[in-house]
Protein backbone atom coordinates (compact mmCIF):
# COMPACT_ATOMS: atom_id res chain seq x y z
CA UNK A 1 0.00 0.00 0.00
CA UNK A 2 1.28 3.48 -0.85
CA UNK A 3 2.45 5.46 2.17
CA UNK A 4 0.09 8.25 1.10
CA UNK A 5 -2.98 6.02 0.86
CA UNK A 6 -5.24 5.73 3.92
CA UNK A 7 -7.77 3.00 4.46
CA UNK A 8 -10.34 5.59 5.49
CA UNK A 9 -10.66 9.36 5.53
CA UNK A 10 -13.28 11.00 7.73
CA UNK A 11 -14.32 14.60 7.16
CA UNK A 12 -15.91 16.12 10.27
CA UNK A 13 -14.75 15.84 13.85
CA UNK A 14 -18.08 15.87 15.67
CA UNK A 15 -19.67 12.90 17.47
CA UNK A 16 -20.47 10.96 14.28
CA UNK A 17 -17.03 11.37 12.74
CA UNK A 18 -15.20 10.61 15.97
CA UNK A 19 -17.32 7.51 16.57
CA UNK A 20 -16.51 6.20 13.09
CA UNK A 21 -12.83 6.99 13.65
CA UNK A 22 -12.84 5.09 16.96
CA UNK A 23 -14.44 2.05 15.35
CA UNK A 24 -12.06 1.97 12.39
CA UNK A 25 -9.03 2.71 14.58
CA UNK A 26 -9.89 -0.21 16.83
CA UNK A 27 -10.16 -2.36 13.69
CA UNK A 28 -6.51 -1.60 12.96
CA UNK A 29 -7.22 0.63 9.98
CA UNK A 30 -5.05 3.54 8.86
CA UNK A 31 -7.40 6.48 9.40
CA UNK A 32 -7.18 10.24 8.98
CA UNK A 33 -9.85 12.55 10.41
CA UNK A 34 -10.25 16.17 9.32
CA UNK A 35 -11.79 18.70 11.70
CA UNK A 36 -12.04 22.36 10.69
CA UNK A 37 -13.27 23.40 14.15
CA UNK A 38 -16.69 24.70 13.02
CA UNK A 39 -19.24 22.46 14.80
CA UNK A 40 -22.97 23.04 14.37
CA UNK A 41 -23.51 22.92 18.15
CA UNK A 42 -20.73 25.43 18.84
CA UNK A 43 -23.17 28.04 20.25
CA UNK A 44 -24.52 25.54 22.81
CA UNK A 45 -22.95 25.47 26.26
CA UNK A 46 -23.91 21.85 26.98
CA UNK A 47 -24.95 18.70 25.12
CA UNK A 48 -27.68 16.45 26.49
CA UNK A 49 -29.24 13.04 26.04
CA UNK A 50 -26.06 10.95 25.81
CA UNK A 51 -25.71 8.40 28.60
CA UNK A 52 -22.79 9.13 31.02
CA UNK A 53 -22.05 12.42 29.24
CA UNK A 54 -25.32 14.31 29.78
CA UNK A 55 -24.55 18.01 30.21
CA UNK A 56 -21.00 17.84 28.86
CA UNK A 57 -19.84 20.97 26.97
CA UNK A 58 -19.57 20.16 23.24
CA UNK A 59 -15.92 21.27 23.11
CA UNK A 60 -15.07 18.92 25.98
CA UNK A 61 -16.85 16.02 24.28
CA UNK A 62 -14.81 16.56 21.11
CA UNK A 63 -11.60 16.85 23.14
CA UNK A 64 -12.32 13.54 24.87
CA UNK A 65 -13.14 11.96 21.52
CA UNK A 66 -9.90 13.13 19.89
CA UNK A 67 -7.98 11.79 22.87
CA UNK A 68 -9.66 8.40 22.57
CA UNK A 69 -9.18 7.96 18.81
CA UNK A 70 -5.53 8.98 19.18
CA UNK A 71 -4.93 5.87 21.29
CA UNK A 72 -5.63 3.78 18.20
CA UNK A 73 -3.38 5.66 15.82
CA UNK A 74 -6.03 7.83 14.14
CA UNK A 75 -4.39 10.91 12.62
CA UNK A 76 -6.39 14.06 13.38
CA UNK A 77 -5.83 17.04 11.07
CA UNK A 78 -7.13 20.48 12.07
CA UNK A 79 -7.84 21.61 8.54
CA UNK A 80 -10.61 21.80 5.95
CA UNK A 81 -11.13 19.47 3.01
CA UNK A 82 -11.88 21.83 0.15
CA UNK A 83 -12.53 19.31 -2.61
CA UNK A 84 -12.82 15.59 -3.29
CA UNK A 85 -12.89 13.37 -6.35
CA UNK A 86 -12.99 9.65 -7.02
CA UNK A 87 -10.61 7.86 -9.37
CA UNK A 88 -9.78 4.19 -9.73
CA UNK A 89 -10.30 2.65 -6.27
CA UNK A 90 -9.59 5.70 -4.11
CA UNK A 91 -10.89 9.12 -3.13
CA UNK A 92 -8.51 12.04 -3.66
CA UNK A 93 -8.88 14.87 -1.16
CA UNK A 94 -7.68 18.43 -1.56
CA UNK A 95 -6.92 19.84 1.88
CA UNK A 96 -6.38 23.37 3.08
CA UNK A 97 -2.88 23.05 4.46
CA UNK A 98 -0.94 20.50 2.48
CA UNK A 99 -0.67 18.13 -0.47
CA UNK A 100 -3.62 15.99 -1.65
CA UNK A 101 -4.39 12.79 0.25
CA UNK A 102 -6.04 9.55 -0.81
CA UNK A 103 -8.26 7.03 0.95
CA UNK A 104 -9.99 3.83 -0.06
CA UNK A 105 -13.24 4.80 1.66
CA UNK A 106 -14.54 8.23 2.57
CA UNK A 107 -16.91 9.06 5.43
CA UNK A 108 -18.49 12.52 5.48
CA UNK A 109 -19.73 13.80 8.83
CA UNK A 110 -19.89 17.39 7.66
CA UNK A 111 -23.26 18.34 9.14
CA UNK A 112 -25.76 20.99 8.12
CA UNK A 113 -26.16 24.73 8.47
CA UNK A 114 -29.30 26.17 10.08
CA UNK A 115 -30.72 29.02 7.98
CA UNK A 116 -31.95 31.22 10.80
CA UNK A 117 -34.73 33.78 10.36
CA UNK A 118 -33.50 37.33 9.91
CA UNK A 119 -34.91 38.70 13.15
CA UNK A 120 -32.86 41.15 15.21
CA UNK A 121 -31.50 39.50 18.36
CA UNK A 122 -32.13 35.92 17.26
CA UNK A 123 -28.55 35.00 16.38
CA UNK A 124 -27.31 36.48 19.66
CA UNK A 125 -29.46 34.04 21.68
CA UNK A 126 -29.20 31.03 19.34
CA UNK A 127 -28.14 27.89 21.19
CA UNK A 128 -28.90 29.40 24.60
CA UNK A 129 -32.50 30.65 24.85
CA UNK A 130 -33.42 30.48 21.16
CA UNK A 131 -33.28 26.75 20.51
CA UNK A 132 -34.63 24.04 18.20
CA UNK A 133 -35.09 20.79 20.13
CA UNK A 134 -37.06 20.19 23.34
CA UNK A 135 -35.22 16.92 23.98
CA UNK A 136 -31.95 18.88 23.92
CA UNK A 137 -33.12 21.96 25.84
CA UNK A 138 -36.60 21.39 27.28
CA UNK A 139 -35.54 20.21 30.72
CA UNK A 140 -33.33 23.27 31.25
CA UNK A 141 -36.27 25.56 30.39
CA UNK A 142 -39.06 23.62 32.11
CA UNK A 143 -41.84 25.79 33.51
CA UNK A 144 -40.63 28.91 31.70
CA UNK A 145 -42.75 31.18 29.47
CA UNK A 146 -42.16 29.67 26.03
CA UNK A 147 -42.82 30.69 22.43
CA UNK A 148 -42.74 28.71 19.19
CA UNK A 149 -41.91 30.53 15.97
CA UNK A 150 -43.44 29.02 12.85
CA UNK A 151 -46.51 27.98 10.88
CA UNK A 152 -48.26 24.82 9.80
CA UNK A 153 -48.16 21.22 10.97
CA UNK A 154 -44.63 21.17 12.40
CA UNK A 155 -45.34 24.20 14.58
CA UNK A 156 -48.71 22.77 15.68
CA UNK A 157 -47.09 19.50 16.75
CA UNK A 158 -44.13 21.15 18.49
CA UNK A 159 -46.36 23.56 20.44
CA UNK A 160 -48.42 20.68 21.82
CA UNK A 161 -45.31 18.63 22.56
CA UNK A 162 -43.86 21.45 24.65
CA UNK A 163 -46.77 21.18 27.10
CA UNK A 164 -44.78 18.31 28.58
CA UNK A 165 -42.22 20.85 29.82
CA UNK A 166 -44.28 23.99 30.45
CA UNK A 167 -47.93 25.07 30.58
CA UNK A 168 -47.15 28.55 29.16
CA UNK A 169 -46.79 28.22 25.38
CA UNK A 170 -47.54 30.84 22.72
CA UNK A 171 -47.24 30.35 18.96
CA UNK A 172 -45.87 33.39 17.11
CA UNK A 173 -46.40 33.11 13.37
CA UNK A 174 -44.65 36.37 12.35
CA UNK A 175 -47.39 37.13 9.88
CA UNK A 176 -49.94 34.99 8.01
CA UNK A 177 -50.31 31.52 9.45
CA UNK A 178 -50.78 28.08 7.94
CA UNK A 179 -52.78 26.47 10.73
CA UNK A 180 -56.20 25.13 9.84
CA UNK A 181 -59.35 25.81 11.88
CA UNK A 182 -59.22 22.44 13.62
CA UNK A 183 -55.63 22.98 14.72
CA UNK A 184 -56.42 26.45 16.02
CA UNK A 185 -59.33 25.11 18.09
CA UNK A 186 -57.21 22.29 19.52
CA UNK A 187 -54.44 24.72 20.50
CA UNK A 188 -56.98 27.02 22.13
CA UNK A 189 -58.47 24.13 24.13
CA UNK A 190 -55.00 23.26 25.40
CA UNK A 191 -54.31 26.86 26.46
CA UNK A 192 -51.93 27.71 23.60
CA UNK A 193 -52.66 31.07 22.04
CA UNK A 194 -51.52 32.37 18.66
CA UNK A 195 -49.98 35.79 17.96
CA UNK A 196 -49.98 36.64 14.25
CA UNK A 197 -48.45 40.13 14.41
CA UNK A 198 -45.11 40.46 12.53
CA UNK A 199 -42.05 40.44 14.81
CA UNK A 200 -39.84 43.52 14.99
CA UNK A 201 -37.02 42.12 17.17
CA UNK A 202 -36.10 39.96 20.12
CA UNK A 203 -35.08 41.70 23.31
CA UNK A 204 -32.00 39.82 24.49
CA UNK A 205 -29.52 40.45 27.32
CA UNK A 206 -26.38 38.28 27.69
CA UNK A 207 -27.91 35.61 25.39
CA UNK A 208 -31.03 35.52 27.61
CA UNK A 209 -34.31 36.16 25.80
CA UNK A 210 -36.43 38.67 27.68
CA UNK A 211 -39.25 39.50 25.27
CA UNK A 212 -40.50 39.31 21.70
CA UNK A 213 -41.27 42.80 20.39
CA UNK A 214 -43.82 43.18 17.60
CA UNK A 215 -44.20 45.75 14.84
CA UNK A 216 -47.34 47.17 16.44
CA UNK A 217 -45.34 48.10 19.56
CA UNK A 218 -46.60 45.24 21.74
CA UNK A 219 -44.17 43.00 23.62
CA UNK A 220 -44.52 39.42 24.83
CA UNK A 221 -42.35 38.44 27.78
CA UNK A 222 -40.73 35.06 27.04
CA UNK A 223 -37.72 33.17 28.40
CA UNK A 224 -37.25 30.69 25.56
CA UNK A 225 -38.13 30.61 21.87
CA UNK A 226 -38.20 27.42 19.78
CA UNK A 227 -37.32 27.74 16.11
CA UNK A 228 -37.10 24.95 13.53
CA UNK A 229 -35.22 26.59 10.66
CA UNK A 230 -34.62 25.07 7.24
CA UNK A 231 -31.20 23.54 6.76
CA UNK A 232 -28.65 23.09 4.01
CA UNK A 233 -25.57 20.94 3.65
CA UNK A 234 -22.55 22.51 5.35
CA UNK A 235 -20.25 21.02 2.71
CA UNK A 236 -20.69 20.50 -1.04
CA UNK A 237 -18.52 17.37 -1.04
CA UNK A 238 -21.33 14.78 -1.01
CA UNK A 239 -23.09 16.35 -4.00
CA UNK A 240 -19.84 16.82 -5.90
CA UNK A 241 -19.15 13.12 -5.54
CA UNK A 242 -22.61 12.20 -6.85
CA UNK A 243 -24.57 11.43 -3.68
CA UNK A 244 -28.35 11.88 -3.84
CA UNK A 245 -30.05 14.55 -1.73
CA UNK A 246 -33.60 14.12 -0.46
CA UNK A 247 -36.27 16.81 -0.73
CA UNK A 248 -35.23 17.83 2.81
CA UNK A 249 -31.72 18.62 1.60
CA UNK A 250 -30.02 15.76 3.44
CA UNK A 251 -28.09 12.89 1.85
CA UNK A 252 -29.93 9.68 1.05
CA UNK A 253 -28.20 6.75 2.77
CA UNK A 254 -28.90 3.17 3.78
CA UNK A 255 -29.08 2.00 7.40
CA UNK A 256 -25.26 1.89 7.60
CA UNK A 257 -24.62 5.30 6.06
CA UNK A 258 -23.74 4.07 2.57
CA UNK A 259 -24.62 6.38 -0.32
CA UNK A 260 -25.21 5.48 -3.96
CA UNK A 261 -21.51 6.19 -4.57
CA UNK A 262 -19.27 3.19 -3.99
CA UNK A 263 -17.06 3.70 -0.93
CA UNK A 264 -18.79 6.92 0.16
CA UNK A 265 -20.59 7.11 3.51
CA UNK A 266 -22.47 10.07 5.00
CA UNK A 267 -23.31 10.12 8.71
CA UNK A 268 -24.63 12.50 11.36
CA UNK A 269 -26.79 15.53 10.67
CA UNK A 270 -25.86 15.60 6.97
CA UNK A 271 -27.62 12.28 6.45
CA UNK A 272 -31.30 11.41 6.42
CA UNK A 273 -31.96 10.50 10.05
CA UNK A 274 -32.38 11.83 13.60
CA UNK A 275 -30.30 14.86 14.56
CA UNK A 276 -29.19 14.22 18.10
CA UNK A 277 -25.94 13.34 19.85
CA UNK A 278 -26.67 9.71 20.69
CA UNK A 279 -27.97 8.93 17.19
CA UNK A 280 -24.89 10.52 15.61
CA UNK A 281 -22.57 8.36 17.74
CA UNK A 282 -24.56 5.27 16.78
CA UNK A 283 -24.44 6.19 13.09
CA UNK A 284 -20.67 6.60 13.30
CA UNK A 285 -20.31 3.15 14.87
CA UNK A 286 -22.49 1.47 12.23
CA UNK A 287 -20.73 3.23 9.36
CA UNK A 288 -17.33 2.36 10.78
CA UNK A 289 -18.28 -1.32 10.96
CA UNK A 290 -19.76 -1.22 7.45
CA UNK A 291 -16.72 0.57 6.02
CA UNK A 292 -14.36 -1.97 7.54
CA UNK A 293 -16.52 -4.76 6.08
CA UNK A 294 -16.39 -3.16 2.63
CA UNK A 295 -12.60 -2.79 2.81
CA UNK A 296 -12.35 -6.55 3.31
CA UNK A 297 -15.08 -8.09 1.13
CA UNK A 298 -16.46 -5.15 -0.87
CA UNK A 299 -19.84 -3.43 -0.60
CA UNK A 300 -23.10 -5.40 -0.62
CA UNK A 301 -24.48 -6.29 -4.04
CA UNK A 302 -27.84 -4.97 -5.15
Amino acid sequence: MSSSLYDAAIVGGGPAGLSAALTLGRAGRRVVLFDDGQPRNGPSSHAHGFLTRDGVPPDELRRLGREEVGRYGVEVRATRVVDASQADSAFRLTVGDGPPMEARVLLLATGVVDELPEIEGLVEAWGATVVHCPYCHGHEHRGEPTAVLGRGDDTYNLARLLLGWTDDVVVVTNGPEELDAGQEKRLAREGIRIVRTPIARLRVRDRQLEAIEFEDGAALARRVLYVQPPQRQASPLAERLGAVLTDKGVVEVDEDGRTAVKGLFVIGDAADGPQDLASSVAEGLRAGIAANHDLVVGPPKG
Side-chain angles (χ1 to χ4, degrees), residues 266-277:
V266 177
I267 52 179
D269 291 355
D272 189 7
Q275 294 186 347
D276 60 80
L277 174 59

Side-chain angles (χ1 to χ4, degrees), residues 212-236:
I212 301 170
E213 299 182 355
F214 298 95
E215 290 185 355
D216 64 0
L220 174 67
R222 296 288 95 176
R223 297 289 289 177
V224 59
L225 172 65
Y226 283 85
V227 180
Q228 294 184 311
Q231 301 169 344
R232 59 177 171 81
Q233 291 286 308
S235 167

Side-chain angles (χ1 to χ4, degrees), residues 192-294:
I192 300 172
R193 65 189 179 96
I194 302 169
V195 177
R196 302 170 178 83
T197 311
I199 297 170
R201 65 188 62 82
L202 303 184
R203 187 191 308 155
V204 176
R205 185 191 304 271
D206 296 327
R207 304 193 72 200
Q208 173 61 60
L209 176 66
E210 295 182 343
I212 301 170
E213 299 182 355
F214 298 95
E215 290 185 355
D216 64 0
L220 174 67
R222 296 288 95 176
R223 297 289 289 177
V224 59
L225 172 65
Y226 283 85
V227 180
Q228 294 184 311
Q231 301 169 344
R232 59 177 171 81
Q233 291 286 308
S235 167
L237 295 178
E239 264 194 293
R240 286 181 188 172
L241 289 165
V244 177
L245 266 61
T246 72
D247 56 5
K248 297 179 181 178
V250 293
V251 180
E252 188 174 283
V253 297
D254 73 4
E255 62 182 8
D256 295 318
R258 292 185 184 90
T259 70
V261 179
K262 182 180 178 180
L264 177 65
F265 295 75
V266 177
I267 52 179
D269 291 355
D272 189 7
Q275 294 186 347
D276 60 80
L277 174 59
S279 296
S280 292
V281 172
E283 288 174 34
L285 170 66
R286 291 183 67 113
I289 292 172
N292 189 59
H293 172 278
D294 292 3

Side-chain angles (χ1 to χ4, degrees), residues 159-173:
R160 297 185 62 220
L161 184 68
L162 285 168
L163 292 174
W165 286 274
T166 179
D167 59 3
D168 186 355
V169 179
V170 176
V171 171
V172 290
T173 65

Side-chain angles (χ1 to χ4, degrees), residues 65-193:
R66 290 192 295 270
E67 182 180 288
E68 287 186 353
V69 302
R71 298 174 195 160
Y72 300 99
V74 174
E75 180 182 340
V76 178
R77 299 279 302 275
T79 189
R80 187 175 185 84
V81 176
V82 296
D83 202 2
S85 60
Q86 189 177 27
D88 300 324
S89 58
F91 292 90
R92 185 176 177 85
L93 308 180
T94 303
V95 300
D97 66 350
M101 308 177 76
E102 294 187 334
R104 295 167 62 194
V105 296
L106 177 60
L107 295 88
L108 301 180
T110 44
V112 294
V113 174
D114 295 296
E115 297 186 315
L116 299 176
E118 294 184 0
I119 297 173
E120 182 183 335
L122 191 146
V123 172
E124 180 185 345
W126 178 244
T129 53
V130 176
V131 295
H132 76 290
C133 170
Y135 294 102
C136 302
H137 305 279
H139 181 80
E140 284 64 43
H141 295 291
R142 61 194 183 280
E144 294 183 350
T146 297
V148 182
L149 173 62
R151 308 165 186 174
D153 293 344
D154 289 344
T155 298
Y156 168 75
N157 292 329
L158 176 57
R160 297 185 62 220
L161 184 68
L162 285 168
L163 292 174
W165 286 274
T166 179
D167 59 3
D168 186 355
V169 179
V170 176
V171 171
V172 290
T173 65
N174 197 26
E177 64 178 272
E178 296 171 7
L179 299 168
D180 63 37
Q183 290 173 329
E184 288 189 22
K185 289 180 181 178
R186 180 65 181 265
L187 292 178
R189 285 200 304 270
E190 296 182 341
I192 300 172
R193 65 189 179 96

